[in-house]
Amino acid sequence: MWQIKTKNLTYIYDKKDPNHYDALSNIDIEINKGDFVCIVGKTGSGKSTLVQTFNSLILPSTGYTQVETFYITSDKKLKKELLKNESKEVIEDNKHVANLRKKVGMVFQFPEYQLFSETILKDVMFGPKNFGMRDEEAKEVAIKSLKEVGIPESYFERSPFELSGGEKRRVAIAGIIASSPDILVLDEPTAGLDPNGKKEIMALVKKIHETGKTVIIVTHDMDLVLNFANTVIVLSDAKLVEVTTPKELFNSDNLNKYSLEIPTIYKFINLLKNKGFAGNLNEINDIDTLIDRICEAQNV
Amino acid sequence: MSNVFGKFKPYNTIIHRLDPRLKFFALIALMVMCFLPYGNYANRFIVLGVLALIIVVIMIIAKINPVSIFSSLKSLWVMMIFLLIIFVFVQQGVDTSSLHPMIIFPNGYTLYWEGLLQTLHVFLRLILMLCLTLILTSTTAPMDITYALDWYLYPLKLIKFPTQIVTMIISLALRFIPTLLDESQKIMKAQKSRGVDYNRGFISKKIKSITTLIIPLLVSCFSRSVELSLAMDARGYDPYGKRTSYKILKFHVRDLVSLFVTLLIMSLFIMACAYSSFYPGADNILKLLFGVEAF
Ligand SMILES: Nc1ncnc2c1ncn2[C@@H]1O[C@H](COP(=O)(O)OP(=O)(O)OP(=O)(O)O)[C@@H](O)[C@H]1O
Ligand SMILES: [Mg+2]
């Protein structure tokens, strides 16, 4: 059952500009509840724009995005049409965008820019409080999520501006997961982090996904896609070109066409093949299988 | 943020092609014209009306939509009301005998029509000044404005004032306006997804929401400026070095003609000013032109 759906979604950044172009053009996708989705594509293909419509930060110029029963569009007539057959509660719900933003947590590229409070703890409490939690409750969830992202308790009363870039990023992510959104959207969460930081953030995201939440990640890191995603959405020049699984995507010949990188493991396999490696190298999609095959061929 | 009020739009009209130094001069000159004393209210409004007409014509030539001014005036309403309160309720000087009463309270306190006119007058001046600045900024590339400024600061160089530093500061500031606007958009989006609503709520709540924007913006401003200064140092920028400009400003015939037109307009306004201020008994331009009696 889909949880997020877009229909004929088109977005133009500056309509008044005489040479405007579509940043997104006729996108139709469905994302299922509990999925781990990666959105990939070269820079400027419209990934960030697409995910911002999930949160009503960007309203589709034509067509619409639907998150459960929440309709997001700038076309008033269309919205009226869509809401016509809905119940009273749904119509009421649609009037309050805060309800949607509570449901869809969005972590931006370089989220460290959003920090503003005097202390780290207060900053993380800010989101939950905005979504109607009481102070004590907010504090509780804030402490919990700060611990989850690996910020030690001794930091809680420090200013967020004294942190390193990676630590700031964690605090910012904690600020989003503290409101426990059903859908977590992350725009390039690992850009500019060290390998360990990447691993930790992804481990955290995986843990959140395992609690049954939908996770959507925009990324250029194909290793991440291979290791975590179960669905990949490929955008190219504002258009949707493929919705598939990582294995199918990386075993097809389209990677070059979409300007996507090959994951490390496939690069390695290709090198082995080129060197005339004797063993069977087909149908390998993870590191364990690869090692098994190599050992097999070496008779270890 | 691409249709920011007053943002430079690279059309190719005559106004765009004029020398920035001339445009700068004309801006200042016409602004001063807004503020000359023109005698009584009838005179003032006629003169400002003529000025407004000139400005509208320039805007049309420069492909600026004059109506777009009004959409950007929304934020000025508060100021207008504030001015109105001050001018209507504060007595207009000592001599009230020449004023026209509007409302007389039982205790003798009087509100005068002049208060209303005064507000209108100040507001009109403000709008005209806004329009003038808008014309300059939307027809002149920011760098050209700084070149013009640099040229005007030239006399200060003679007394060893480091004008090039001032121009560098100004050009950097201009350069970073769009960047900051972009950044504030980003921050606002991030805060919105944390549940901040910038449009709703009462004043106290709005102030709180604004701080969630201002603080991150200031922080990034500071870190940006530190980075920028380091980058400039790294590339060997010497603030006291002699600057040469890659663009050389040339004065064309069209500039000369425009300068002449500007001076002509200026002298007309100054004449109007002198006429209404110094000729006893003939303080009314209306009467002069059409023989009509105004109040
Ligand atoms: N604020 C904006 N104003 C105008 N155009 C924009 C704006 N933001 C993005 N665009 C344009 O919209 C298109 C899609 O941009 P988007 O940010 O969605 O790309 P992206 O796929 O996220 O790229 P990246 O991988 O670099 O983050 C690009 O062509 C970009 O130039
Ligand atoms: Mg992006």
Side-chain angles (χ1 to χ4, degrees), chain A residues 269-277:
Chain A
I269 293 171
N270 286 343
L271 281 177
L272 284 176
K273 273 186 190 161
N274 289 347
K275 288 273 177 194
F277 183 73

Side-chain angles (χ1 to χ4, degrees), chain A residues 47-48 109 187-188 218:
Chain A
K47 306 180 294 293
S48 301
Q109 199 170 354
D187 195 345
E188 303 191 26
V218 174

Side-chain angles (χ1 to χ4, degrees), chain A residues 222-291:
Chain A
M222 294 305 141
D223 287 333
L224 186 158
V225 176
L226 182 66
N227 292 334
F228 294 96
N230 48 34
T231 307
V232 195
I233 292 172
V234 187
L235 295 184
S236 175
D237 293 327
K239 290 189 190 68
L240 176 72
V241 285
E242 215 165 315
V243 180
T244 162
T245 62
K247 277 179 204 166
E248 268 173 47
L249 176 67
F250 295 129
N251 286 314
S252 73
D253 305 324
N254 291 336
L255 283 180
N256 251 337
K257 204 168 78 191
Y258 305 147
S259 323
L260 298 178
E261 189 154 9
I262 305 171
T264 323
I265 180 169
Y266 291 105
K267 273 188 207 156
F268 189 68
I269 293 171
N270 286 343
L271 281 177
L272 284 176
K273 273 186 190 161
N274 289 347
K275 288 273 177 194
F277 183 73
N280 175 14
L281 286 172
N282 295 328
E283 308 244 330
I284 302 176
N285 291 308
D286 58 80
I287 198 100
D288 292 334
T289 329
L290 177 64
I291 289 171

Side-chain angles (χ1 to χ4, degrees), chain A residues 82-280:
Chain A
L82 290 167
L83 283 171
K84 211 164 61 185
N85 300 323
E86 295 286 357
S87 67
K88 260 203 185 111
E89 294 92 63
V90 171
I91 292 173
E92 189 55 34
D93 195 42
N94 264 274
K95 282 183 189 152
H96 302 282
V97 73
N99 296 343
L100 173 70
R101 298 205 172 129
K102 185 170 185 297
K103 194 175 286 170
V104 185
M106 174 92 97
V107 180
F108 281 88
Q109 199 170 354
F110 305 113
E112 39 273 35
Y113 288 137
Q114 70 185 38
L115 304 175
F116 75 97
S117 299
E118 312 89 275
T119 70
I120 291 171
L121 189 61
K122 269 193 192 159
D123 208 281
V124 177
M125 283 165 64
F126 180 68
K129 267 166 70 180
N130 274 330
F131 292 126
M133 265 190 216
R134 281 178 292 108
D135 270 17
E136 308 88 66
E137 234 180 316
K139 193 164 177 177
E140 221 167 86
V141 292
I143 290 174
K144 190 166 149 267
S145 39
L146 274 171
K147 282 189 178 150
E148 268 176 348
V149 296
I151 297 283
E153 203 153 340
S154 59
Y155 278 49
F156 287 5
E157 293 304 318
R158 281 173 59 180
S159 157
F161 301 113
E162 294 167 359
L163 299 175
S164 80
E167 287 166 337
K168 276 187 193 160
R169 171 105 31 120
R170 285 176 204 202
V171 172
I173 292 178
I176 299 296
I177 61 174
S179 337
S180 61
D182 291 340
I183 300 162
L184 186 62
V185 183
L186 302 117
D187 195 345
E188 303 191 26
T190 57
L193 287 187
D194 61 28
N196 256 337
K198 256 185 214 179
K199 254 186 223 155
E200 282 173 30
I201 296 279
M202 286 318 296
L204 173 70
V205 172
K206 193 165 180 202
K207 215 168 84 190
I208 292 171
H209 177 241
E210 276 160 5
T211 61
K213 308 216 156 148
T214 313
V215 173
I216 299 165
I217 295 189
V218 174
T219 186
H220 290 286
D221 183 346
M222 294 305 141
D223 287 333
L224 186 158
V225 176
L226 182 66
N227 292 334
F228 294 96
N230 48 34
T231 307
V232 195
I233 292 172
V234 187
L235 295 184
S236 175
D237 293 327
K239 290 189 190 68
L240 176 72
V241 285
E242 215 165 315
V243 180
T244 162
T245 62
K247 277 179 204 166
E248 268 173 47
L249 176 67
F250 295 129
N251 286 314
S252 73
D253 305 324
N254 291 336
L255 283 180
N256 251 337
K257 204 168 78 191
Y258 305 147
S259 323
L260 298 178
E261 189 154 9
I262 305 171
T264 323
I265 180 169
Y266 291 105
K267 273 188 207 156
F268 189 68
I269 293 171
N270 286 343
L271 281 177
L272 284 176
K273 273 186 190 161
N274 289 347
K275 288 273 177 194
F277 183 73
N280 175 14

